[in-house]
Amino acid sequence: MSTNFQPGLPGLLSATALPATRTAAPIRLLALTTVPVGDQPVGVAVAANGNAYVTNTASNDVTVINTATDTVIVPSIPVGINPIGVAVAPNGKAYVVNRGSNDVTVIDTATNTVVCTPIPVGTNPFAVAVAPNGKIYVTNQTSDDVSVIPPFPTLTSISPNQGPTAGGTPVTLLGTNLTGATVTIGGNPATGVNVNPGGTAIHAFTPPGAPGPATVTVTTDGGCASLVNGFTYVSPSHATSLTATPALAKLFPPHVYFPFLTATLKDLVTGLPVPGQTITFKTGTHVLGTATTNAQGTAKLDETLTFPLILANGGYDAFFAGTGTLLPSSAHGEILTP
């Protein structure tokens, strides 16, 4: 009960009943899991592999969380300035919008590493979304527009996959989303680049390069793709000559004067003997054996036990299979009977 003034009757008090006071229910505190990340986290997106990618706008990085265990597996992937939005495409590429640097960083969620150089967009980009056709859409708040990033390119092959160091080898590269691509081999730009209308093939000519394997990279407005050590530069091939010495024998009675078959290999461009190369000796269809050329370019094979076969076939043949820089050659060794 409480006392109050009766409305319309000044000074007259009356007793009226007020509703009973209800007791509040106790507040239940939720035991939520918290995962420490970088400074001022803003955006988050989950990839198909189950990892969550969190943009930290003040620390200019992305933190990767394993959603199965709610633990951080990569504390910091450095990106651009003030990352805000993030989206993951079906191909596993995470697109991070950097508001302060006006660009987009691409992260490969398979390796959790940044790929290619940042993609420039409009001024003060904010949100990002992936379309079913693979295009990336980024809203730009200050420039009042939307940037459309083409689908990420792929590169599956290059043919042929080797050529001379002088360059000029015509090559064909196959992949997807290659429209507008530039090509580098070993970091040097290819020439005569021509992309087919479907963006699935590139025809180009190799630039000069150093001997050995070189990485092939295509770059488009949507990203880049590489074949690590996909092309091999080889030094110019030199012609060779192989000289086989005759096998000497007396027929009556049979007797071998020299117990070795010998063959000498020479580089016809330099005129020098070629050491350290394998020479194969055959007679008819029978392989007599192999031997390695010495400092004088000569390979020797013992013929003592195989001479009857050599005699029956009217001599022997020596073969050099060639290398990446030396062309193959062969020679025939006759039988001389003094």
Side-chain angles (χ1 to χ4, degrees), residues 301-329:
L301 183 72
D302 190 333
E303 66 170 334
T304 303
L305 298 178
T306 58
F307 187 75
L309 282 172
I310 298 172
L311 188 62
N313 286 284
Y316 70 97
D317 296 288
F319 297 91
F320 170 58
T323 66
T325 57
L326 296 171
L327 296 177
S329 55

Side-chain angles (χ1 to χ4, degrees), residues 81 174 198 294-295 336:
I81 300 173
L174 299 180
N294 59 20
L336 295 183

Side-chain angles (χ1 to χ4, degrees), residues 133-144:
N133 61 8
K135 293 181 181 179
I136 312 301
Y137 291 79
V138 179
T139 60
N140 306 301
Q141 290 187 321
T142 300
S143 54
D144 296 331

Side-chain angles (χ1 to χ4, degrees), residues 46-71:
V46 179
N49 60 11
N51 291 338
Y53 292 78
V54 180
T55 59
N56 305 304
T57 191
S59 51
N60 300 325
D61 57 12
V62 170
T63 299
V64 185
I65 299 172
N66 183 333
T67 60
T69 60
D70 288 329
T71 56

Side-chain angles (χ1 to χ4, degrees), residues 114-165:
V114 172
V115 294
C116 313
T117 57
I119 301 171
V121 289
T123 307
N124 287 336
F126 187 81
V128 58
V130 181
N133 61 8
K135 293 181 181 179
I136 312 301
Y137 291 79
V138 179
T139 60
N140 306 301
Q141 290 187 321
T142 300
S143 54
D144 296 331
D145 53 22
V146 172
S147 298
V148 183
I149 301 173
F152 202 85
T154 66
L155 183 61
T156 56
S157 67
I158 180 172
S159 179
N161 61 5
Q162 69 174 23
T165 55

Side-chain angles (χ1 to χ4, degrees), residues 155-330:
L155 183 61
T156 56
S157 67
I158 180 172
S159 179
N161 61 5
Q162 69 174 23
T165 55
T169 301
V171 292
T172 299
L173 296 80
L174 299 180
T176 60
N177 304 321
L178 300 176
T179 301
T182 59
V183 179
T184 61
I185 302 178
N188 300 313
T191 59
V193 176
N194 184 17
V195 185
N196 73 341
T200 58
I202 298 174
H203 301 285
F205 295 90
T206 61
T215 295
V216 181
T217 300
V218 295
T219 302
T220 71
D221 290 341
C224 61
S226 296
L227 293 174
V228 177
N229 297 334
F231 188 84
T232 300
Y233 283 103
V234 295
S235 298
S237 297
H238 290 189
T240 63
S241 68
L242 196 61
T243 304
T245 57
L248 301 181
K250 284 183 179 180
L251 296 181
F252 303 104
H255 179 74
V256 178
Y257 277 101
F258 298 101
F260 292 101
L261 302 177
T262 62
T264 301
L265 182 65
K266 179 189 289 187
D267 185 327
L268 292 181
V269 175
T270 64
L272 299 174
V274 183
Q277 302 300 320
T278 299
I279 306 299
T280 301
F281 295 86
K282 294 182 179 180
T283 183
T285 59
H286 184 79
V287 177
L288 302 172
T290 60
T292 303
T293 56
N294 59 20
Q296 289 73 44
T298 300
K300 294 183 178 182
L301 183 72
D302 190 333
E303 66 170 334
T304 303
L305 298 178
T306 58
F307 187 75
L309 282 172
I310 298 172
L311 188 62
N313 286 284
Y316 70 97
D317 296 288
F319 297 91
F320 170 58
T323 66
T325 57
L326 296 171
L327 296 177
S329 55
S330 62

Side-chain angles (χ1 to χ4, degrees), residues 57 60 80-84 97-103 122-125:
T57 191
N60 300 325
I81 300 173
N82 303 137
I84 301 287
V97 173
N98 303 304
R99 185 175 178 83
S101 50
N102 299 324
D103 54 26
T123 307
N124 287 336

